[in-house]
């Protein structure tokens, strides 16, 4: 008799550490300064974006360089719902998710006709179309953009400090939800299929996995999450314009570098990558465009010499997993199963 | 008559788009590599031409004599020194490495040349036009540009089917392992393909730089135009790529005529529409 287990010793330690980190981060308004809270909230959004991109590219093999389409869509939905329909900002963020998923359906139907690398550029075209359309919407500022009305922002909380706490907790909660959802997905039947697709698409298909359907589901779910995080990002920024909302550098280049450096195709990769990314950014912020240049170079070096990223190196060396995702058989003695069928 | 002129201008600019596309299509055909840095290399070629024209005091078209070999050499080195190591069954490494390259070129150019927009001055030829019929004028430079595009496509076609190098390209494209067994050094063949791709990029970059202002950030849009021309025309068909470029150019010209904000959007929408109704492109390569 045997059963399948996910947890290992390292994943029990990992989960305990992550739970502890979550508690410490949730209490950050009591120990951190304003700047710290802002930085942490930004870190959370990048963890979420990178984790979503990792799900898409690392597991489903859908290498998109156009996820800024959904970040921008979410941002613009926030502004449209708040300014035009008087929706509360937090409600608007929650609505942005389903609309993002809804928009992802026809987008997927169209660009899934492109294979492999051409798919990547196809996603970019979609993002460009979104950007150009956004600059045609004159009630939302057209090409030059628009700010969130001060009255709306002030109405969010009784004081500025409370509003900042509120946004911080919102960022932490949304990121935790996104990560939790990805872990739940990967532990499900679909997750097993996804892992199989990650390891060998052809073999997965020949074992009866409907690869196209799974990829479609992942693309739509990623659209959901990315649009929601996009709305959150622009609630933090308070101002939106087509160029910032659909920036390929901010929402795709950084996100790809983070995932590649941290370890693509592993759930822990984007978290490690984001930490490395922000440490480098704090250290090298004065370098301006040279900084981006170096990020590009580091990503190329990692891709060529350590294609599984930093976490991949650690995981393979020590056999660690921070989250209980692997499946392994646990054999139990027969005597413990009275009357049970073998 | 106004619309006829609009369409004519669109056709002529389509030649430039076909040149953006030809190099992209070539390397995809030979080694299944999609070069995300393609557009940024076009911009790099424009800056190289800027240095050459300023340094030697020659006009942009003459500068091609230097810019083409420089870019081809960069292409050869890039392939042998970097991109050959990314090729394999996995799609991710070439994509991510060329994406990283794209970011490096953009920001490198930004460091060296700032974000100011530049332009190559071609002198009197820039404004010369002639009348083909009542009310229809053609610029000399756009016409040269289109003729060069046709020549590039025809040259590529001839190279592919009439020369030993072309045979090597086709052999590696069909089956890399067998080509290797027959004594082809595929690393060299790939590098030659990339060199050729960048030679075409050099020509496209110079014509782009004469036609419009350029700055380090305009690369990705050129990649997208080239990519759209390839897909519209049908993968693997060089003349189809020219047709794809022309269709894209005409769509943009018509869009711009309706509303300046719709120029790029019209091109993208035509591309997406063709993808929806005819995903194999208008003139797909006949198999066999």
């Amino acid at each position: 008799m045997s059963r399948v287990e996910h947890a290992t010793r390292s994943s029990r330690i990992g989960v305990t550490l992550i739970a502890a980190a979550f508690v410490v981060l949730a209490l950050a308004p009591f120990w951190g300064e304003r700047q710290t809270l802002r930085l942490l909230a930004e870190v959370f959004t990048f963890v979420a974006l990178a984790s979503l991109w990792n799900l898409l590219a690392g597991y489903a093999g859908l290498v998109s360089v156009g996820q800024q389409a959904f970040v921008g869509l979410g941002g613009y939905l926030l502004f449209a719902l708040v300014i035009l329909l008087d929706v509360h900002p937090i409600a608007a963020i929650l609505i942005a998710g389903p609309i993002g998923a809804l928009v992802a359906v026809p987008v997927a139907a169209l660009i899934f006709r492109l294979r492999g690398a051409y798919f990547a550029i196809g996603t970019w075209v979609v993002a460009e179309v979104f950007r150009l359309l956004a600059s045609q919407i004159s009630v939302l500022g057209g090409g030059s953009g628009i700010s969130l009305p001060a009255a709306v922002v002030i109405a969010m909380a009784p004081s500025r400090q409370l509003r900042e706490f509120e946004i911080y907790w919102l960022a932490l909660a949304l990121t935790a939800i996104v990560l939790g959802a990805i872990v739940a997905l990967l532990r499900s039947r679909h997750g097993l299929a996804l892992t199989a697709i990650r390891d060998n698409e052809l073999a997965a298909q020949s074992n009866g996995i409907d690869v196209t359907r799974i990829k479609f589901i992942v693309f739509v779910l990623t659209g959901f999450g990315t649009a929601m995080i996009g709305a959150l990002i622009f609630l933090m920024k308070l101002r939106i314009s087509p160029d910032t909302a659909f920036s390929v550098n901010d929402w795709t280049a950084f996100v790809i570098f983070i995932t590649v450096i941290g370890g693509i195709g592993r759930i822990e990769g984007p978290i490690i990558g984001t930490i490395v990314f922000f440490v480098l950014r704090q250290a090298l912020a004065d370098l301006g465009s040279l900084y981006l240049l170096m990020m590009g170079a580091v990503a190329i070096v990692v891709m060529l010499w350590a294609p599984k990223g930093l976490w991949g190196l650690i995981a393979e060396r020590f056999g660690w997993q921070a989250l209980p995702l692997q499946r392994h058989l646990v054999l139990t003695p027969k005597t413990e199963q009275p009357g049970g069928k073998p | 008559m106004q619309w006829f002129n609009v369409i004519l201008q669109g056709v002529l600019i389509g030649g430039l788009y076909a040149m953006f596309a030809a190099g992209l299509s070539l390397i995809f055909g030979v080694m299944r590599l999609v070069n995300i840095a393609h557009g940024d290399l076009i911009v790099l070629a424009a800056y190289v031409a800027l240095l050459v024209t300023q340094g030697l005091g020659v006009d942009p078209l003459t500068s091609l004599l230097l810019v083409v070999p420089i870019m081809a050499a960069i292409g050869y080195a890039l392939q042998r020194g970097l991109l050959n190591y990314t090729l394999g069954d996995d799609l991710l490494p070439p994509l991510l490495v060329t994406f990283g390259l794209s970011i490096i070129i953009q920001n490198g150019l930004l460091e060296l040349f700032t974000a100011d927009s530049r332009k190559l001055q071609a002198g009197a030829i820039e404004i010369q036009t002639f009348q083909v019929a009542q009310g229809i004028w053609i610029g000399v430079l756009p016409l040269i540009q289109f003729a060069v595009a046709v020549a590039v496509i025809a040259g590529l076609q001839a190279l592919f089917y009439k020369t030993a190098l072309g045979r090597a390209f086709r052999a590696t494209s069909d089956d890399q392992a067998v080509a290797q067994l027959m004594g082809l050094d595929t690393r060299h063949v790939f590098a030659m393909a990339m060199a050729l791709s960048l030679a075409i990029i050099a020509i496209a970059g110079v014509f782009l730089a004469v036609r419009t202002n350029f700055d380090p950030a305009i690369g990705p849009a050129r990649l997208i135009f080239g990519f759209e021309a390839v897909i519209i025309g049908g993968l693997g068909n060089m003349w189809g790529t020219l047709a794809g470029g022309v269709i894209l150019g005409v769509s943009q010209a018509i869009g711009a005529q309706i509303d300046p904000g719709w120029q790029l959007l019209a091109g993208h929408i035509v591309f997406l529409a063709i993808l929806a109704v005819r995903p194999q492109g208008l003139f797909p390569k006949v198999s066999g």
Side-chain angles (χ1 to χ4, degrees):
Chain A
M1 190 60 199
S2 61
R3 61 202 158 80
V4 174
E5 265 201 3
H6 292 281
T8 59
R9 188 160 161 264
S10 70
S11 82
R12 287 192 192 97
I13 298 173
V15 169
T16 314
L17 285 178
I18 288 171
F22 182 79
V23 172
V24 171
L25 288 173
L27 297 175
F30 303 106
W31 55 261
E33 294 180 10
R34 277 186 58 209
Q35 285 310 103
T36 319
L37 289 189
R38 280 171 164 245
L39 181 68
L40 281 174
E42 203 191 346
V43 170
F44 299 156
T45 59
F46 271 94
V47 167
L49 286 180
S51 298
L52 287 162
W53 187 82
N54 186 36
L55 179 68
L56 199 60
Y59 283 91
L62 293 166
V63 186
S64 164
V65 289
Q67 286 312 99
Q68 69 273 24
F70 292 97
V71 175
L73 175 69
Y76 268 95
L77 281 172
L78 169 77
F79 279 64
L81 289 167
V82 167
I83 294 173
L84 305 178
L85 300 174
D86 282 331
V87 178
H88 189 274
I90 294 177
I93 290 176
L94 298 179
I95 299 172
I99 299 183
L102 214 59
V103 171
V105 171
V107 167
L110 206 51
I111 57 173
F112 272 38
R113 292 155 182 264
L114 296 164
R115 292 272 143 238
Y118 278 127
F119 170 84
I121 311 183
T123 59
W124 204 343
V125 174
V126 170
E128 277 300 288
V129 169
F130 282 19
R131 181 178 68 83
L132 292 166
L133 285 175
S135 60
Q136 296 287 317
I137 308 173
S138 47
V139 282
L140 293 176
S144 48
I146 194 168
S147 295
L148 212 55
V152 174
V153 181
I154 292 166
M156 274 185 74
S159 75
R160 179 176 169 178
Q161 196 186 30
L162 277 178
R163 187 178 74 239
E164 282 172 349
F165 290 179
E166 195 178 3
I167 290 177
Y168 173 82
W169 278 319
L170 191 63
L172 180 64
L174 278 183
T175 303
I177 290 170
V178 166
L179 280 179
I182 292 175
V183 170
L185 176 71
L186 289 176
R187 283 174 62 126
S188 72
R189 277 181 65 237
H190 289 311
L192 191 57
L194 264 174
T195 314
I197 293 173
R198 173 194 73 178
D199 291 340
N200 189 329
E201 194 169 325
L202 200 64
Q205 194 148 27
S206 61
N207 276 305
I209 295 170
D210 188 344
V211 172
T212 313
R213 188 168 152 265
I214 301 258
K215 287 187 172 195
F216 181 82
I217 292 172
V218 168
F219 189 83
V220 171
L221 288 179
T222 314
F224 188 110
T226 309
M228 221 165 64
I229 298 296
L232 168 70
I233 287 172
F234 284 93
L235 177 61
M236 282 152 56
K237 287 189 184 290
L238 299 176
R239 183 172 172 78
I240 199 166
S241 72
D243 289 345
T244 54
F246 299 96
S247 159
V248 65
N249 274 351
D250 291 352
W251 316 128
T252 294
F254 288 154
V255 163
I256 290 181
F257 293 160
I258 284 171
T259 314
V260 169
I261 292 171
I264 191 165
R266 283 165 199 275
I267 192 99
E268 299 90 348
I271 303 172
I272 305 286
T274 308
I275 296 170
V276 172
F277 175 80
F278 275 89
V279 168
L280 282 177
R281 196 181 82 172
Q282 297 303 103
L284 306 173
D286 305 337
L287 290 176
S289 55
L290 267 182
Y291 163 67
L292 254 172
L293 196 152
M294 284 168 50
M295 284 299 292
V298 170
I300 287 180
V301 168
V302 170
M303 197 71 230
L304 286 177
W305 281 286
K308 288 174 181 164
L310 290 178
W311 184 256
L313 288 180
I314 298 171
E316 269 176 14
R317 175 75 179 74
F318 303 104
W320 285 356
Q321 59 163 350
L323 289 160
L325 288 175
Q326 290 168 356
R327 290 167 171 81
H328 48 98
L329 283 177
V330 180
L331 296 169
T332 48
K334 257 182 187 170
T335 49
E336 285 183 12
Q337 303 284 329
K341 284 172 193 167
Chain B
M1 203 51 77
Q2 182 202 8
W3 283 103
F4 191 86
N5 257 325
V6 166
I7 291 169
L8 193 64
Q9 300 314 318
V11 170
L12 293 179
I13 188 84
L16 185 63
Y17 294 164
M19 281 196 278
F20 293 164
L24 198 65
S25 177
L26 169 74
I27 49 164
F28 181 76
V30 174
M31 57 187 124
R32 301 287 178 274
L33 177 118
V34 171
N35 182 3
I36 303 256
H38 193 81
D40 305 291
L41 288 164
I42 294 173
V43 179
L44 176 67
Y47 278 100
V48 172
L50 184 74
L51 291 181
V52 170
T53 50
Q54 284 177 352
L56 302 178
V58 294
D59 71 288
L61 293 183
T62 318
S63 80
L64 278 172
L65 291 174
L66 224 68
V67 180
V68 169
I70 291 175
M71 291 305 291
I74 293 176
Y76 192 93
L78 196 62
Q79 185 69 38
R80 289 235 50 167
L82 181 68
L83 296 176
N84 269 345
Y85 300 100
T86 68
L87 297 177
D89 292 332
D90 195 357
L91 196 99
L92 212 53
L95 252 179
L96 296 186
V97 168
T98 54
F99 189 72
L101 210 57
S102 154
I103 301 291
I104 290 177
I105 296 173
Q106 270 178 49
N107 291 285
L109 289 174
L110 195 62
E111 263 319 291
L112 289 173
F113 296 97
T114 73
D116 295 348
S117 64
R118 311 292 179 98
K119 190 174 173 307
L120 291 185
Q121 303 299 337
I125 195 173
E126 271 186 48
I127 47 165
Q128 278 171 15
T129 54
F130 62 90
Q131 195 172 22
V132 277
Q134 188 60 43
I136 299 172
W137 293 81
I138 292 185
V140 172
L141 204 60
L143 193 65
I144 295 177
Q145 172 189 296
F146 190 78
V148 168
V150 173
V152 163
I153 302 278
L156 268 181
Q157 195 81 3
L159 183 133
F160 249 71
Y161 292 101
K162 301 245 164 67
T163 68
L165 183 64
R167 202 159 54 236
F169 284 163
R170 281 181 293 138
T172 0
S173 167
D174 285 347
D175 194 321
Q176 194 189 330
V178 175
Q180 227 159 354
L181 288 174
M182 297 296 125
L184 279 178
D185 180 358
T186 50
R187 288 168 305 173
H188 174 72
V189 174
F190 289 160
M192 288 302 286
M194 189 54 88
L196 190 59
S197 171
L198 260 70
I200 301 168
I201 278 179
I203 302 172
V206 167
F207 277 106
L208 172 75
V210 172
R211 213 188 82 82
T212 54
N213 292 332
F214 60 95
D215 62 70
I218 67 160
R222 313 305 121 175
L223 164 74
I224 287 176
F225 294 160
F227 158 76
E228 288 177 335
V230 172
I231 301 289
I232 292 174
L235 278 179
N237 182 343
M238 280 292 170
W239 291 111
T241 299
L242 180 64
V246 167
I247 289 170
L248 187 63
V250 171
S251 317
Q252 289 186 356
I254 291 176
Q257 188 66 21
I258 296 167
D259 178 335
W262 277 79
Q263 181 184 7
L264 298 179
L265 208 48
H268 295 323
I269 286 169
V270 166
F271 160 75
L272 291 174
I274 289 175
L275 191 61
V277 295
R278 211 178 146 78
Q280 72 274 38
L282 295 179
F283 314 101
K285 189 179 179 183
V286 186
S287 52

